[in-house]
Amino acid sequence: MKIVKTKEEVRAAVKEWKAEGLTVGFVPTMGYLHEGHASLMKLAGENDRVVVSIFVNPMQFGPNEDLASYPRDLERDSSVCEEQGVDLIFNPEPEEMYPQDFSSFVDMTGPTEELCGSSRPGHFKGVCTVVNKLFNIVKPDKAYFGQKDAQQFAVIKRMVRDLDMDLEVVAAPIIREEDGLAKSSRNKYLNKEEREAALILSRSLQLGRDMLEAGETDVAAIVKAIEDKIKTEPLAKIDYVKIVDASSIKPVETVKEQVLVAMAVYIGKTRLIDNFIFEK
Amino acid sequence: MKIVKTKEEVRAAVKEWKAEGLTVGFVPTMGYLHEGHASLMKLAGENDRVVVSIFVNPMQFGPNEDLASYPRDLERDSSVCEEQGVDLIFNPEPEEMYPQDFSSFVDMTGPTEELCGSSRPGHFKGVCTVVNKLFNIVKPDKAYFGQKDAQQFAVIKRMVRDLDMDLEVVAAPIIREEDGLAKSSRNKYLNKEEREAALILSRSLQLGRDMLEAGETDVAAIVKAIEDKIKTEPLAKIDYVKIVDASSIKPVETVKEQVLVAMAVYIGKTRLIDNFIFEK
């Protein structure tokens, strides 16, 4: 496994592989890798070669967000990648990705507008721009994203379709701790009490899933039940609880086809997200 | 030479060529081809295969601009391409490029802000988006643009650099009528009197060039002389006359390095552009 810092090194490696007719799978990450990321790398193993990028992308953090404190541990990350048989880690410095007079961006209306799009203005512009760049550098056959960032997956899928990027984007299931908490690099911020309180996300989602499986189709009723459940947890503060069309991320009033039930909840100062997709 | 309407057909042709190790040159156009376009195709002949796109891109026209009346003539365009040894024309319908729920875009700060960027809001967003898509569809080794759209060239070059697109963009010199008028599909709009009046663009630019070559470095003085000259033509109305850094398209006060002297002038209802680059 090689770790490289420059685009040129990635390009050279990929070019060589492609010349040999090998396929390339790609897992873009911000590092501090957990079992969720490992599951993406495992999936990417269906390709001949696997590239992982580790880059805490400044452009997708808002001015009051956790860019500076976002956890980083390249050494540990490298062993996770090594274990999963990754061939190449791309770990650029911000200057390698954004030269001083950098001025282009990729953005989107539609799927970016609800959920995290409204609570994190500019977030998806940063995500689209960096992922667009990474796709152009790595030129993967397939790229892998976690279903935990369900809206991010819908946004990337739309960008690839709209801009005619020649690759397939694949979503992988959410990986959870034994007690149900969705794995996240941000779980590291939680103290013991908050860690316990954070279970309210998966538990309240389970309540929503139970209602849907029992045949409830009224979105407002399901959202209210979930919110009421979250409010029983004193350390939790709701950012949003929403039920939207899973591919357009547009609000729905009645559950008809495939919906995404998604939430962002602050536990203390830590903003956590979780979701599931329900097919009627 | 083949004319195709779908992205899939382009992809299939290019894939075959690349598998044989052939290089691909690309000339994106809005059709109604003139000698300027032909000169780009001739240059593109340095590649093994040449693709031309003919697509009047709705996204780069403002609501009060000439989208509906923009001249179209596929038959004549085909013979121009045929003569230049073009291998493939991509002539999509708008629906092929923009499905109903299309929602992504590429845009830019910096080089888009002056000149046509301020008089045609949204124009470069449309240009960047469609060119980004076309690059992803055609995957050329090199793409060719006319120096006549000097700002467009600077913008595309910046987009390719910023988004790490793997191709080279090449600018080709302005092609002029014998009397000096820069070739443009929009020249077709001019009646006989306006055609004569339109010479004020190249003539006033020549005045600016004379001043620069004589050593004048004061941008305000040169711009004023050019504007005064244009004002002697009653059918002409200045949109802008500007001298900017040729690569960043930022205003300069004194001519030091490479500058772009650019103008947009209405002759009657027709908006024409012209420019030259001066290296001190």
Side-chain angles (χ1 to χ4, degrees):
Chain A
M1 188 183 73
K2 264 175 84 172
I3 304 179
V4 302
K5 302 294 260 180
T6 68
K7 301 184 266 196
E8 280 58 37
E9 289 166 289
V10 178
R11 286 223 160 98
V14 171
K15 200 175 169 183
E16 214 167 282
W17 294 335
K18 298 237 161 164
E20 297 172 38
L22 303 176
T23 58
V24 177
F26 176 45
V27 183
T29 82
M30 298 211 302
Y32 215 74
L33 305 173
H34 50 67
E35 285 90 336
H37 298 106
S39 77
L40 298 177
M41 298 174 202
K42 191 166 299 183
L43 262 181
E46 63 181 315
N47 302 277
D48 299 315
R49 293 290 179 272
V50 177
V51 179
V52 171
S53 64
I54 297 178
F55 178 56
V56 182
N57 174 35
M59 198 176 170
Q60 73 193 65
F61 286 79
N64 299 314
E65 292 182 358
D66 57 346
L67 172 62
S69 63
Y70 196 88
R72 291 156 169 93
D73 188 344
L74 185 61
E75 207 167 315
R76 225 199 48 174
D77 288 349
S78 307
S79 15
V80 174
C81 292
E82 187 90 59
E83 267 168 42
Q84 296 300 330
V86 167
D87 298 281
L88 185 71
I89 295 178
F90 179 38
N91 176 229
E93 295 300 320
E95 307 77 54
E96 174 73 3
M97 295 298 277
Y98 301 112
Q100 254 216 319
D101 57 353
F102 186 89
S103 40
S104 308
F105 58 90
V106 181
D107 204 353
M108 196 180 292
T109 55
T112 55
E113 285 159 13
E114 301 289 327
L115 313 186
C116 294
S118 39
S119 35
R120 302 183 70 185
H123 172 66
F124 284 115
K125 175 175 158 179
V127 169
C128 285
T129 303
V130 81
V131 171
N132 190 286
K133 284 169 65 69
L134 289 167
F135 284 174
N136 284 335
I137 296 164
V138 178
K139 293 186 184 164
D141 296 281
K142 294 186 181 185
Y144 299 80
F145 293 84
Q147 183 58 42
K148 183 167 147 279
D149 297 295
Q151 185 176 17
Q152 173 177 280
F153 177 71
V155 165
I156 299 294
K157 213 172 153 76
R158 180 65 65 92
M159 175 183 79
V160 165
R161 188 204 68 174
D162 282 356
L163 298 182
D164 300 303
M165 304 192 88
D166 194 12
L167 77 155
E168 191 185 328
V169 287
V170 180
I174 299 179
I175 305 293
R176 298 179 179 280
E177 305 287 352
E178 271 185 30
D179 60 7
L181 179 66
K183 300 248 184 192
S184 165
S185 309
R186 290 190 171 97
N187 291 349
K188 176 191 149 69
Y189 298 147
L190 305 169
N191 64 29
K192 205 179 155 214
E193 202 184 358
E194 290 169 339
R195 174 64 185 76
E196 181 63 28
L199 291 177
I200 198 64
L201 281 93
S202 52
R203 286 183 182 157
S204 60
L205 278 177
Q206 186 57 51
L207 171 68
R209 192 196 288 272
D210 292 344
M211 290 174 77
L212 282 161
E213 282 173 355
E216 180 63 77
T217 59
D218 179 10
V219 161
I222 304 166
V223 168
K224 173 145 197 329
I226 295 175
E227 288 182 340
D228 286 348
K229 172 100 181 170
I230 297 172
K231 286 174 189 159
T232 64
E233 171 51 61
L235 290 179
K237 208 184 114 242
I238 296 171
D239 181 358
Y240 65 77
V241 175
K242 289 234 174 111
I243 301 183
V244 297
D245 178 272
S247 106
S248 71
I249 316 290
K250 295 273 178 210
V252 292
E253 288 183 6
T254 310
V255 176
K256 280 181 197 139
E257 297 177 3
Q258 206 191 40
V259 291
L260 169 69
V261 183
M263 60 174 56
V265 176
Y266 284 92
I267 303 294
K269 286 184 176 172
T270 304
R271 184 176 177 278
L272 300 177
I273 58 175
D274 201 349
N275 71 79
F276 67 92
I277 284 179
F278 179 79
E279 189 117 29
K280 199 178 147 67
Chain B
M1 188 184 73
K2 263 174 86 171
I3 306 179
V4 302
K5 304 291 261 180
T6 67
K7 303 184 265 196
E8 279 60 35
E9 290 166 289
V10 178
R11 288 221 160 100
V14 171
K15 201 175 168 183
E16 215 166 281
W17 295 334
K18 298 237 160 163
E20 296 172 38
L22 303 176
T23 59
V24 177
F26 177 44
V27 183
T29 83
M30 297 213 301
Y32 214 75
L33 306 173
H34 50 66
E35 285 89 337
H37 300 105
S39 77
L40 299 177
M41 298 173 202
K42 193 166 299 185
L43 264 182
E46 64 181 314
N47 303 277
D48 299 314
R49 293 289 179 273
V50 177
V51 179
V52 171
S53 64
I54 298 179
F55 179 56
V56 182
N57 173 35
M59 198 174 168
Q60 73 191 66
F61 286 80
N64 300 313
E65 292 183 357
D66 57 346
L67 171 61
S69 64
Y70 196 86
R72 290 156 167 94
D73 187 344
L74 185 60
E75 207 167 315
R76 227 198 48 175
D77 288 349
S78 306
S79 14
V80 174
C81 292
E82 187 89 57
E83 268 167 41
Q84 296 300 328
V86 167
D87 297 282
L88 184 72
I89 296 178
F90 178 39
N91 177 229
E93 297 299 321
E95 307 77 54
E96 175 72 4
M97 295 297 278
Y98 300 113
Q100 254 217 319
D101 56 353
F102 186 89
S103 40
S104 307
F105 58 90
V106 181
D107 205 354
M108 195 180 291
T109 54
T112 56
E113 284 159 15
E114 300 289 326
L115 313 187
C116 293
S118 39
S119 35
R120 301 184 69 185
H123 171 66
F124 284 115
K125 175 176 158 179
V127 169
C128 286
T129 303
V130 80
V131 171
N132 190 287
K133 283 169 64 70
L134 289 167
F135 284 173
N136 284 335
I137 296 165
V138 177
K139 293 184 183 163
D141 297 281
K142 293 185 182 185
Y144 299 79
F145 294 85
Q147 183 58 41
K148 183 168 146 279
D149 297 296
Q151 185 176 17
Q152 173 178 280
F153 177 70
V155 165
I156 299 293
K157 215 173 152 75
R158 181 65 67 91
M159 175 183 78
V160 164
R161 188 204 69 175
D162 282 356
L163 297 183
D164 300 303
M165 304 192 88
D166 192 11
L167 77 156
E168 191 185 328
V169 287
V170 180
I174 299 178
I175 305 293
R176 297 180 179 279
E177 305 288 351
E178 273 185 28
D179 61 7
L181 179 66
K183 299 250 185 192
S184 165
S185 309
R186 289 189 172 97
N187 292 350
K188 175 194 151 67
Y189 298 147
L190 304 170
N191 65 29
K192 206 178 154 213
E193 203 185 356
E194 290 169 340
R195 174 65 185 74
E196 183 61 30
L199 291 177
I200 198 65
L201 281 92
S202 51
R203 286 182 183 157
S204 60
L205 278 178
Q206 186 55 51
L207 171 67
R209 192 196 290 270
D210 292 344
M211 291 174 76
L212 282 161
E213 282 173 356
E216 179 64 78
T217 59
D218 179 8
V219 162
I222 304 167
V223 167
K224 173 143 196 331
I226 295 175
E227 288 181 339
D228 286 347
K229 172 99 181 169
I230 297 172
K231 286 175 188 158
T232 64
E233 172 49 63
L235 290 179
K237 208 184 115 243
I238 296 171
D239 181 0
Y240 64 77
V241 174
K242 290 230 172 115
I243 301 182
V244 297
D245 178 89
S247 106
S248 72
I249 316 289
K250 295 272 179 211
V252 293
E253 288 182 8
T254 310
V255 175
K256 280 181 199 143
E257 298 178 2
Q258 205 192 41
V259 291
L260 168 70
V261 183
M263 61 175 55
V265 176
Y266 284 93
I267 303 293
K269 285 183 175 172
T270 304
R271 185 175 177 279
L272 299 176
I273 58 175
D274 201 349
N275 71 80
F276 68 91
I277 283 179
F278 179 80
E279 190 119 27
K280 198 179 147 69

